[in-house]
């Protein structure tokens, strides 16, 4: 994405197989798919719409995608030479002398993140300016050449230790676009250089759980354009950080399409034609089937995964949304933005528009020139956490009587109010419009609805509503379309003792892992 928030799609390559090769491998791929649920499905030419929809309903996240989704809320750290030049994009000519965060305390970053509820911090190890936050052996342009700690500092090492201490995971952002590196633009040479940088980072600061690749790609110093070898980068990540999701310009996690922290009201995690390389899906069916044929394209439209969109798909892939935004207007720290930090209420709203819309929320923090997260940002995060903790403290359904026809043992309606995500309610086979009813312990006033599908089974719900029993009749309170991993809806407060969730449409028998009703403070 460039500074104006527009995704740079220059340089995205499309690997398309010839039609004949495609047909040759389809049969093989289909068999490979049938053995166990995977995060990719191949559609046979001429397959019926009903079949395609059933296939879509059975695509599931890979284990690493599932672990990532369950983190829900993660943080970004934008910190580097731009912090000292008051810029958003450096040009690579910055002197390392300017980098001196004399009070840098990565423990403060990790503590603030942990206390806010974040489960991971993704640190910018190298931004477009090429200045490395770790003492890379592959360039002099790093913390090693700076006055900070006499050249002995290492931001990544400090953060890795702090994340371990505070029980959160670590991810890295490494910009392929490098405005300092002379080899940039000399494609084969730079690709090896970049893969080796990745290698350094993934080995030295293991375990890394997310690798964030941005699409920006500018001119090299020799005026030549750099062709990125994504396949080499992916192989390097898979080899050294097998649990890491590769995000944005990668096959595991998709950019939601804006930088406002607002996901779609209808957010499908199963998308058509993210990869078209059917042959490689077959060849890699036991491992990373999506990687080799990964085909990044513009995914910013409103509708990415409806029936209409997948009607002509060749492949279907689990490709969930990461919803990013910054706590300040910029990604990097600027003193003039100290008064422009999002308020606790704005952060709560963003929680609803990201996590509450089937996304993982990636919130950026920008440590200042001292190397600390500014007090204004800390206060907003603490305020947000207090609101969310009080809002979700009591689920009024936890003590309710639950009624809903179930597929059988282990799929009972009461599973939606235990606290296990793994247990779920599922109506009988072929029932795509069931409802589930709750009789609360007494009359309660609530204004937040939570729904969760069990995505280990797939994403299926297309349309639902919440009704409350009032004055002798069911009254509609709110409604929505997709659910996915988590859906949160707010509405004007309602008082009732009996409610029901009506699923009005689903791709096949739906599941619900959790249903909750809460009251905002
Ligand atoms: C973009 C970059 O160009 C911005 O500077 C920032 O790092 C953002 C998260 O990604 O593509």
């Amino acid at each position: 994405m460039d500074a104006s928030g527009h995704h740079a799609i220059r340089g995205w390559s499309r690997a398309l197989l010839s039609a004949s090769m495609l047909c040759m491998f389809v049969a093989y791929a289909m068999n490979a798919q049938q053995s166990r649920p995977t995060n990719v499905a191949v559609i046979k030419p001429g397959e019926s719409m009903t079949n395609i929809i059933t296939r879509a309903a059975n695509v599931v996240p890979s284990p690493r995608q599932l672990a990532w989704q369950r983190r829900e809320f993660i943080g970004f750290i934008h910190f580097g030479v731009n912090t000292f030049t008051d810029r958003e994009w450096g040009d690579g000519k910055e002197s390392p002398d300017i980098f001196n965060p004399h009070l840098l305390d990565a423990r403060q970053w990790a503590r603030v993140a942990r206390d806010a509820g974040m489960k991971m911090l993704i640190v910018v190890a190298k931004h477009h300016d090429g200045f490395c936050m770790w003492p890379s052996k592959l360039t002099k342009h790093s913390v090693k050449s700076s006055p900070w700690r006499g050249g002995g500092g290492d931001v990544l090492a400090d953060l890795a230790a702090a994340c371990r201490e505070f029980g959160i995971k670590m991810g890295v952002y490494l910009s392929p676009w490098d405005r300092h590196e002379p080899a940039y633009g000399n494609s084969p040479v730079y690709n090896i250089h970049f893969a080796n940088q990745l290698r350094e980072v993934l080995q030295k600061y293991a375990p890394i759980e997310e690798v964030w690749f941005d699409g920006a790609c500018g001119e090299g110093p020799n005026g030549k354009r750099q062709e990125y070898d994504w396949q080499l980068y992916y192989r390097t990540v898979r080899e050294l950080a097998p649990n890491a999701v590769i995000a944005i310009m990668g096959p595991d996690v998709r950019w939601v399409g804006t930088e406002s922290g607002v996901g779609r009201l209808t957010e499908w995690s199963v998308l058509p034609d993210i990869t078209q390389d059917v042959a490689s899906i077959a060849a890699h069916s036991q491992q990373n089937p999506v990687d080799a044929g990964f085909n990044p394209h513009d995914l910013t439209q409103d509708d990415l995964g409806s029936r209409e969109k997948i009607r002509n798909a060749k492949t279907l892939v689990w490709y969930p949304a990461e919803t990013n935004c910054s706590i300040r207007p910029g990604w990097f720290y600027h003193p003039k933005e100290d008064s422009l930090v999002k308020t606790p209420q704005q952060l709560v709203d963003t929680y609803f528009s990201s996590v509450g819309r089937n996304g993982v929320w990636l919130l950026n923090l920008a440590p200042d020139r001292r190397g600390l997260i500014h007090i204004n940002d800390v206060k907003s995060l603490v305020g947000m956490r207090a609101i969310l903790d009080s809002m979700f403290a009591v689920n009024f359904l936890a003590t309710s009587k639950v009624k809903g026809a179930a597929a059988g043992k282990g799929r009972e309606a009461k599973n939606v109010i235990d606290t296990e995500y793994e247990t779920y309610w599922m109506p009988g086979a072929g029932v795509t419009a069931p409802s589930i009813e709750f009789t609360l312990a007494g009359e309660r006033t609530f204004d937040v609805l939570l729904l969760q599908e069990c995505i280990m089974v797939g994403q299926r719900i297309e349309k639902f509503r919440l009704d409350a029993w009032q004055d002798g009749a069911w009254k509609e309170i709110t409604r929505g379309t997709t659910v996915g991993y988590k859906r949160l809806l707010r509405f004007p407060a309602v008082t009732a003792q009996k409610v029901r969730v009506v699923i009005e449409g689903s791709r096949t028998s739906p599941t619900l892992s959790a249903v909750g009703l809460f009251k905002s403070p």
Side-chain angles (χ1 to χ4, degrees), residues 114-397:
R114 193 265 324 256
D115 291 350
M118 293 174 178
K119 298 290 192 289
M120 168 158 66
L121 275 177
I122 302 176
V123 63
V124 171
K126 180 183 86 162
H127 206 250
H128 311 325
D129 52 69
F131 187 76
C132 298
M133 291 293 109
W134 80 101
S136 173
K137 291 203 175 79
L138 302 161
T139 176
K140 288 205 176 75
H141 203 52
S142 84
V143 284
K144 206 170 156 188
S145 309
S146 79
W148 177 51
R149 296 183 188 166
D154 181 341
V155 177
L156 266 54
D158 281 19
L159 187 60
C163 286
R164 252 194 313 278
E165 179 182 345
F166 290 95
I168 62 176
K169 309 284 186 195
M170 178 161 145
V172 288
Y173 169 116
L174 202 67
S175 169
W177 185 24
D178 188 325
R179 304 178 83 178
H180 179 84
E181 175 53 44
Y184 188 88
N186 184 348
S187 291
V189 175
Y190 178 77
N191 280 327
I192 289 169
H193 170 81
F194 184 74
N196 286 337
Q197 283 198 320
L198 253 179
R199 219 159 243 290
E200 270 190 348
V201 168
L202 298 176
Q203 277 173 329
K204 226 172 145 188
Y205 311 104
I208 294 295
E209 307 278 345
E210 179 160 348
V211 177
W212 215 93
F213 287 136
D214 162 52
C217 170
E219 302 291 313
N222 57 3
K224 277 196 281 175
R225 251 177 44 70
Q226 172 71 31
E227 292 292 337
Y228 297 136
D229 187 349
W230 294 110
Q231 290 302 317
L232 170 65
Y233 310 163
Y234 300 160
R235 278 198 306 276
T236 307
V237 178
R238 297 306 191 206
E239 178 199 330
L240 300 171
N243 296 329
V245 288
I246 309 177
I248 317 309
M249 294 301 287
D252 300 317
V253 167
R254 125 182 92 92
W255 179 51
V256 76
T258 83
E259 283 170 342
S260 58
V262 181
R264 294 171 184 77
L265 285 168
T266 301
E267 192 70 79
W268 287 105
S269 294
V270 176
L271 265 55
D273 299 333
I274 294 310
T275 172
Q276 301 207 341
D277 191 342
V278 180
S280 78
I281 291 176
H284 296 86
S285 68
Q286 298 304 311
Q287 234 179 350
N288 308 316
V290 182
D291 291 15
F294 177 66
N295 173 34
H297 47 270
D298 183 11
L299 292 172
T300 56
Q301 314 99 286
D302 273 349
D303 177 9
L304 298 177
S306 70
R307 287 180 183 235
E308 206 35 59
K309 284 279 164 183
I310 64 182
R311 181 177 292 279
N312 299 310
K314 294 190 180 63
T315 60
L316 296 166
V317 175
W318 189 271
Y319 198 39
E322 185 176 76
T323 312
N324 63 335
C325 69
S326 185
I327 196 166
R328 292 163 167 250
W331 295 106
F332 286 90
Y333 178 81
H334 307 288
K336 62 178 179 303
E337 293 180 356
D338 283 348
S339 59
L340 300 175
V341 178
K342 286 192 172 70
T343 64
Q345 194 52 53
Q346 284 172 319
L347 292 174
V348 168
D349 292 347
T350 309
Y351 178 80
F352 272 83
S353 65
S354 55
V355 177
R357 292 185 182 179
N358 191 28
V360 166
W361 182 18
L362 172 57
L363 176 66
N364 179 62
L365 307 175
D368 62 20
R369 289 175 192 170
R370 298 169 304 168
L372 296 172
I373 297 172
H374 192 275
I375 184 70
N376 293 2
D377 308 54
V378 176
K379 280 186 183 157
S380 279
L381 290 165
V382 168
M384 172 202 74
R385 194 66 253 163
I387 298 173
L388 290 177
D389 282 349
S390 120
M391 186 181 300
F392 293 107
V394 182
N395 176 3
F396 298 128
L397 300 184

Side-chain angles (χ1 to χ4, degrees), residues 401-418 420 422-428 435-438 510-515:
K401 281 212 195 63
V402 195
K403 220 170 72 190
K409 219 172 149 23
R411 302 287 175 262
E412 295 89 354
K414 65 170 174 34
N415 290 341
V416 305
I417 55 167
D418 64 15
E420 304 290 318
E422 288 80 2
T423 64
Y424 55 89
W425 165 62
M426 185 159 138
S435 73
I436 183 167
E437 197 179 300
F438 304 84
T511 69
L512 281 176
S513 278
V515 183

Side-chain angles (χ1 to χ4, degrees), residues 57-111:
N58 285 291
V59 173
V60 297
S62 65
R64 60 171 86 91
Q65 287 174 315
L66 179 63
W68 167 86
Q69 186 87 51
R70 294 186 71 172
R71 289 185 192 125
E72 297 193 12
F73 179 33
I74 60 180
F76 233 162
I77 295 280
H78 272 70
F79 181 69
V81 285
N82 296 337
T83 310
F84 295 87
T85 56
D86 211 4
R87 294 175 74 181
E88 279 291 309
W89 278 11
D91 57 18
K93 301 196 178 85
E94 296 79 10
S95 161
D97 292 346
I98 61 175
F99 186 83
N100 196 4
H102 58 290
L103 294 176
L104 186 137
D105 180 6
R107 294 182 69 250
Q108 186 237 13
W109 306 356
R111 192 176 53 238

